[in-house]
Amino acid sequence: MRKYIVAGNWKMNKRLSEGVRLAEEINVAVEKAGALKCDVVIAPPFLHLTEVSKAVGNKVSVAAQNCAAEASGAYTGEVSASMLQSAGIASVIIGHSERRTFYGETDAVLAKKTGQALSCGLKVIFCIGEELSQRDNGRYFDIVKSQIENGLFHLSADEWKNIVIAYEPVWAIGTGRTATSAQAQEVHAFIRQTIAGKYGQPSADDTTILYGGSCNENNAKELFAQPDIDGGLIGGASLTAEKFIGIVTAF
Ligand code: 13P
């Protein structure tokens, strides 16, 4: 069954005490909101994961923003998927455009990270999306297709069940320039069709595909009303409990 998800990616924001406070505020707001149509996920920095996990109840789950491509060993500064699993973390964001751009993470590296995460029992929120020049020259379908094929299509149908896709056009991230609901829906439908071509229509219909990029409490409702948009991966607007809950309740 396809699930609706709203996930907050805090990126490199909030000192520890601020992060715990935000998690507590989100938890209270989620409890107050009653029955929700979506799962709620927050992804704080590594350092905050354990404390933030203690600050939320069972209606909010905690994800990491990254994991290592290797299982263990002499990789200074890295955090393995197994460590995340041992800390009770259920899922991990892989392939965010900031990781691809600032840290040179290639499709091959992301495929390895995904393999590590899945083998440790984590779910993966796998990010894809084109840059502005690729949108302008009409190559965006080719770009998202190759990111999915190269990053994920080595997975078995069984492994695929633990994958969530996040379509985040790079030109919409942190710019205030969100994709229109029609632009987002067009790409989401294409992504679902691409998945169907590999894993079959039922698997594609069951796959959660999130939109990310300047999604906020004002535009979420229209975006989430699209048939192939199953929620959002939220940056800036996830750093304030009030805004984030406005998105969580936008279905
Ligand atoms: P913004 O919501 O700040 O545009 O960030 C989106 C994003 O990158 C989420 O991963």
Side-chain angles (χ1 to χ4, degrees):
M1 255 276 289
R2 195 190 307 181
K3 267 187 180 176
Y4 297 123
I5 300 172
V6 171
N9 175 9
W10 295 3
K11 308 191 180 181
M12 196 175 74
N13 290 294
K14 304 287 179 190
R15 289 164 59 85
L16 180 56
S17 60
E18 296 167 339
V20 169
R21 197 174 329 126
L22 174 59
E24 286 167 354
E25 288 169 4
I26 289 171
N27 193 55
V28 167
V30 166
E31 291 292 343
K32 255 199 206 151
L36 293 173
K37 295 221 173 84
C38 65
D39 288 358
V40 180
V41 179
I42 52 178
F46 282 134
L47 187 68
H48 301 24
L49 287 170
T50 307
E51 290 301 313
V52 160
S53 295
K54 289 183 206 155
V56 297
N58 59 7
K59 284 175 131 188
V60 178
S61 81
V62 180
Q65 298 173 17
N66 183 26
C67 72
E70 310 295 336
S72 66
Y75 301 101
T76 302
E78 290 290 278
V79 174
S80 72
S82 165
M83 291 172 190
L84 294 174
Q85 190 272 338
S86 74
I89 301 306
S91 56
V92 56
I93 298 170
I94 290 179
H96 193 281
S97 71
E98 288 147 18
R99 301 291 323 168
R100 294 177 187 261
T101 306
F102 303 144
Y103 303 98
E105 295 191 356
T106 60
D107 288 339
V109 166
L110 300 174
K112 270 183 94 173
K113 291 189 171 200
T114 301
Q116 282 297 328
L118 294 178
S119 73
C120 293
L122 301 177
K123 292 187 188 310
V124 171
I125 300 174
F126 192 88
C127 303
I128 57 175
E130 81 284 359
E131 291 172 7
L132 183 59
S133 61
Q134 296 162 334
R135 160 106 353 211
D136 287 344
N137 66 21
R139 288 187 54 226
Y140 53 102
F141 287 130
D142 292 345
I143 297 297
V144 299
K145 186 164 190 235
S146 76
Q147 288 172 333
I148 298 179
E149 283 176 349
N150 299 335
L152 296 175
F153 273 6
H154 61 289
L155 299 176
S156 68
D158 225 37
E159 288 173 317
W160 184 266
K161 292 182 187 143
N162 291 310
I163 300 293
V164 166
I165 302 289
Y167 170 60
E168 301 203 298
V170 179
W171 47 271
I173 295 177
T175 58
R177 181 185 164 190
T178 182
T180 65
S181 53
Q183 282 174 322
Q185 167 57 27
E186 180 191 38
V187 179
H188 280 232
F190 173 76
I191 292 167
R192 203 175 300 284
Q193 183 193 322
T194 304
I195 297 166
K198 171 78 178 172
Y199 295 103
Q201 195 64 49
S203 292
D205 287 339
D206 280 350
T207 302
T208 298
I209 307 177
L210 308 179
Y211 168 78
S214 299
C215 181
N216 60 38
E217 68 284 15
N218 301 315
N219 58 31
K221 203 176 186 63
E222 188 184 335
L223 286 160
F224 297 171
Q226 303 303 312
D228 289 296
I229 301 182
D230 308 315
L233 182 57
I234 317 299
S238 74
L239 296 173
T240 316
E242 199 184 340
K243 291 185 180 178
F244 188 58
I245 206 70
I247 301 170
V248 165
T249 53
F251 288 93

